[in-house]
Amino acid sequence: MASAVDGLKKRIMALGRPDADGVYRDGAGKRRERCDLATAAISRLWADACDSVSFGVPQEGIALAAVGSLARGQMGPSSDLDLVVIMEPRVLKDAQISELTNKLWYPLWDCGLDLDHSVRTRQQCESVTDQDLPAAMGWLDVLPVAGDSGLVERTSSSILERWRRAARKRLPELLESASSRLEEFGRMPYLNQPNVKEARGGLRDAVLVSALAASWLADRPHGGYDDAVEKLLDVRDCIHLVAGKDTDLLLAQYQPSVARMMGLCDPTIPEPDRAVSAVEDLQTLLSRLGRRIAFALDATASHAEHTVTHERPRFAFFQMMRPQSDGHREAPRFDVIAPGVASHEHEVVLGTDAHPRSDPELPLRVATAAAEFGLPINPVTLMNLRACPIRDDAWNADARDMFVRLLASGRSLIRTWEEIDYAGIPGRWIPEWLGVRNRPSASAAHRYTIDRHMVEVTSRLGREGPDGVRYDDAHYAALLLAGILHDIGKRPGVRDHASEGARHAPVILRRMGFPQEIVDMTTMLVREHLTLSEFATGRDPADYGVARELSDRLGGDPLILDMLYDLTRADGSSLGATSGEVISKQYGWSRWRETTVRMMYTAVRDVMVGTWAQDASRPGFVP
């Protein structure tokens, strides 16, 4: 006997195909059609199951509901189904429930759909959502599919009320879940192969925004944010169509086809450059969408935290002894941490004396303070910084000092740079930055986009050299500047990005006003940032002529060699494998890599300082 869901997966996949020209249009409409098709088919399946069981299924007290993407109206071509049978206690016996659900779940499995299913009473639904954060967020969107819709609505309303009552206590748990995903999946705008659901700025963050809004602790953003979510859902749909399965991971092999479906292929560009350009455009699109969604989450979470903080009574017993407070709540406290910059409730904000429209150095002070104090920048503050009259050719000594301090902030630099990058600040400091911003790396060894990789490298550069000797201010500044600029030459059509970067670096640094000594050292490091690694993996460190050649390329300067070693180590250790990849000994900072680079470093240093081992067994020995 034919089932109401026979061929449902194929029908869902066919319903969302691209148009005749291969472009995926009206994704929102296609998602509505998929949801309508699935809901109608499952509703008929319920009716058929009720008719075919050996007992009478009551009209009240039992129902079938959907949560997840189907309930949100966001079902993709290969999305799974998340269904739950809700029932009042003792409406049916266990054997009857088993008979009924077997006639629901097996046909759905047989048609090839992935299914997450459960059977619960209303009280069990409440208990699960009270204890399980993902389940609670999933139940904030519930769709009655069949049976007693009133039971579904009562259960959903009860869970929503409990969510709102407990929201203040559960807010830290919710925000911690976002932080955990960030640690595991990274930030979508900076990943070459992102998970468009789980990465920061992905679809899971949109669910968190809705959950925060449902708690009444904060309003949700609209307008451009809604458009960004819909566009990212389009990308997710295209991944499903290309992969032919339920996956949210945009692997490299999917990207050209996804880019074509998204209408990003320029037919005037010849192949294979057309595919490369389309993938870069796709990465740029994802970066824009990811930044918008991540900023929406940060802003909504910040508002929610402030709501919770300000709802806490500031009145305390000791205030009774302070007439000036008159028994009222204390005023918010702002701690000044830089001119025009303050910390407030664990965020960096603008001080009362800040004047963004007339202060070009304010973004530097905010960024440096945020990185050095390890604090996030308030989202509203970020938007206000856009009004600052920044000029890329108007740097003074204080501004240069702050920029170097920002680069020297270690791991804090990553979050701070990402925050100011959302406001478009780095590209106004260094216009050349825009040429690599959001660009994916052609190398499979790179996990991050080019711009994010350079920030990662810089965050790994410390003040101590390979032998523990501290760099002076000039050498350390040059090392940090080389870190943030070492891949600035990775532009479309460039074959030798190190040489191209060495062409850009002195222009940038002279425009910023750095001393010629720092300009020269930075330029050399950018030009040679691959050299030590290439010599170590392809030349013999025991050959005097090889060591002499590399020494000559570095001007015979041991400090430059130390800096190059640190830059090489930071560059290699910042590479990361994505899902499905393995970093081999040719990439990354493996033990093999470290050993070979260290051997070459030691040989070159011996030549530079005149301590080449007096060993006749070494090739090229000069007595």
Side-chain angles (χ1 to χ4, degrees):
M1 179 179 176
S3 166
V5 295
D6 281 353
L8 180 58
K9 181 174 182 178
K10 292 182 179 179
R11 284 183 281 160
I12 290 174
M13 287 287 288
L15 194 60
R17 289 292 177 185
D19 294 347
D21 60 356
V23 177
Y24 186 80
R25 297 184 179 90
D26 189 24
K30 289 181 170 68
R31 286 186 285 276
R32 285 192 300 270
E33 291 179 357
R34 284 189 213 106
C35 291
D36 291 343
L37 173 62
T39 302
I42 297 169
S43 179
R44 290 196 301 272
L45 179 65
W46 171 271
D48 292 345
C50 291
D51 290 340
S52 62
V53 293
S54 60
F55 56 91
V57 179
Q59 297 295 312
E60 297 182 352
I62 187 168
L64 180 64
V67 295
S69 61
L70 178 56
R72 291 191 297 271
Q74 298 177 346
M75 191 173 182
S78 294
S79 291
D80 63 350
L81 294 175
D82 197 341
L83 301 177
V84 56
V85 173
I86 309 173
M87 54 181 288
E88 297 286 6
R90 294 179 294 278
V91 166
L92 294 176
K93 297 178 181 178
D94 289 346
Q96 293 173 325
I97 283 292
S98 179
E99 182 181 349
L100 176 63
T101 55
N102 283 344
K103 293 182 179 295
L104 296 173
W105 310 148
Y106 281 101
L108 288 168
W109 285 323
D110 290 342
C111 78
L113 287 169
D114 293 328
L115 176 66
D116 187 2
H117 61 88
S118 60
V119 179
R120 293 193 176 100
T121 65
R122 170 179 165 177
Q123 291 74 20
Q124 288 172 334
C125 290
E126 293 171 345
S127 176
V128 168
T129 54
D130 284 346
Q131 300 174 18
D132 187 331
L133 183 65
M137 289 190 294
W139 266 90
L140 296 178
D141 293 288
V142 184
L143 175 69
V145 175
D148 186 355
S149 60
L151 174 62
V152 177
E153 292 169 358
R154 290 192 299 274
T155 304
S156 175
S157 297
S158 173
I159 290 173
L160 179 58
E161 290 176 8
R162 298 165 79 93
W163 172 257
R164 287 170 176 162
R165 286 199 302 267
R168 287 151 185 80
K169 293 182 179 179
R170 301 194 75 171
L171 180 61
E173 180 187 5
L174 189 149
L175 299 181
E176 176 58 31
S177 72
S179 297
S180 298
R181 279 191 301 104
L182 174 60
E183 289 296 319
E184 182 176 356
F185 295 99
R187 293 182 180 269
M188 191 173 73
Y190 305 108
L191 298 173
N192 282 329
Q193 301 184 84
N195 185 312
V196 299
K197 180 179 180 180
E198 301 293 351
R200 173 57 65 89
L203 295 171
R204 185 75 73 185
D205 281 357
V207 175
L208 286 186
V209 169
S210 297
L212 287 168
S215 71
W216 289 348
L217 294 177
D219 192 13
R220 67 182 297 278
H222 297 281
Y225 166 75
D226 290 327
D227 294 340
V229 174
E230 289 296 328
K231 199 70 172 179
L232 187 56
L233 285 167
D234 289 350
V235 175
R236 187 278 317 266
D237 292 353
C238 292
I239 297 173
H240 283 192
L241 292 170
V242 172
K245 60 182 179 180
D246 183 12
T247 178
D248 303 298
L249 191 60
L250 184 56
L251 296 175
Q253 58 264 37
Y254 302 154
Q255 291 175 9
S257 297
V258 171
R260 282 195 298 272
M261 283 189 187
M262 292 297 296
L264 299 175
C265 277
D266 185 347
T268 65
I269 301 176
E271 292 287 6
D273 293 340
R274 183 188 306 173
V276 174
S277 175
V279 169
E280 291 186 357
D281 289 344
L282 175 62
Q283 184 72 51
T284 301
L285 172 66
L286 287 176
S287 295
R288 177 170 58 82
L289 300 178
R291 284 190 176 96
R292 170 78 71 171
I293 294 171
F295 180 79
L297 175 59
D298 291 341
T300 306
S302 176
H303 189 184
E305 287 183 299
H306 290 172
T307 298
V308 171
T309 299
H310 290 303
E311 283 184 350
R312 294 174 184 150
R314 297 176 182 270
F315 180 81
F317 176 79
F318 66 83
Q319 289 178 286
M320 296 174 61
M321 308 303 295
R322 295 167 55 191
Q324 65 270 27
S325 70
D326 196 26
H328 297 299
R329 297 168 67 191
E330 293 178 344
R333 179 175 177 177
F334 291 83
D335 295 321
V336 176
I337 55 179
V341 185
S343 66
H344 172 59
E345 294 178 358
H346 309 293
E347 290 182 327
V348 171
V349 299
L350 296 183
T352 56
D353 58 340
H355 301 286
R357 294 188 179 277
S358 60
D359 190 346
E361 294 177 17
L362 185 59
L364 266 173
R365 295 200 300 276
V366 168
T368 304
E372 291 183 340
F373 282 86
L375 297 173
I377 303 173
N378 177 271
V380 176
T381 295
L382 279 176
M383 295 302 96
N384 288 334
L385 293 179
R386 288 178 169 176
C388 294
I390 301 172
R391 288 181 54 188
D392 63 291
D393 59 350
W395 292 72
N396 57 36
D398 289 339
R400 288 190 293 273
D401 177 66
M402 281 189 289
F403 187 69
V404 172
R405 285 167 52 197
L406 172 62
L407 298 182
S409 58
R411 302 303 291 175
S412 294
L413 171 66
I414 296 173
R415 179 175 68 183
T416 299
W417 194 276
E418 289 171 352
E419 290 172 339
I420 60 175
D421 190 49
Y422 178 79
I425 301 299
R428 296 170 67 188
W429 288 336
I430 306 173
E432 291 84 353
W433 186 263
L434 300 176
V436 296
R437 186 176 187 246
N438 303 333
R439 285 203 69 216
S441 176
S443 171
H446 283 261
R447 181 183 183 190
Y448 301 114
T449 54
I450 294 169
D451 55 336
R452 173 65 168 78
H453 168 71
M454 291 194 290
V455 177
E456 180 77 26
V457 168
T458 308
S459 74
R460 295 169 181 260
L461 296 171
R463 183 121 197 181
E464 291 186 354
D467 292 328
V469 178
R470 288 174 61 84
Y471 296 116
D472 61 29
D473 290 346
H475 284 82
Y476 189 41
L479 177 60
L480 293 168
L481 291 166
I484 204 65
L485 296 177
H486 76 280
D487 277 349
I488 200 71
K490 281 190 173 180
R491 296 162 184 274
V494 172
R495 294 185 178 275
D496 185 350
H497 75 272
S499 296
E500 179 70 8
R503 187 174 69 84
H504 286 287
V507 176
I508 295 169
L509 298 179
R510 289 187 188 118
R511 190 172 62 229
M512 296 174 77
F514 280 99
Q516 190 60 41
E517 177 192 16
I518 291 179
V519 174
D520 291 342
M521 288 190 291
T522 303
T523 302
M524 178 176 288
L525 290 171
V526 171
R527 184 180 63 245
E528 306 294 345
H529 76 271
L530 300 174
T531 305
L532 181 57
S533 182
E534 290 173 348
F535 267 63
T537 56
R539 309 286 290 274
D540 183 4
D543 188 327
Y544 179 85
V546 169
R548 181 85 239 177
E549 179 183 347
L550 182 50
S551 173
D552 291 343
R553 289 180 64 163
L554 301 180
D557 188 336
L559 270 178
I560 292 292
L561 176 63
D562 288 350
M563 295 160 69
L564 182 60
Y565 178 86
D566 285 340
L567 182 59
T568 302
R569 177 172 54 189
D571 194 10
S573 63
S574 68
L575 303 179
T578 54
S579 179
E581 296 177 345
V582 177
I583 291 297
S584 72
K585 66 181 182 179
Q586 298 298 322
Y587 301 104
W589 196 247
S590 62
R591 290 184 179 179
W592 175 87
R593 189 80 161 193
E594 182 177 12
T595 299
T596 56
V597 170
R598 187 76 189 198
M599 289 172 61
M600 182 61 70
Y601 161 82
T602 301
V604 176
R605 188 173 182 83
D606 286 345
V607 169
M608 287 179 169
V609 300
T611 58
W612 180 266
Q614 299 301 298
D615 184 353
S617 65
R618 258 182 160 170
F621 167 65
V622 180

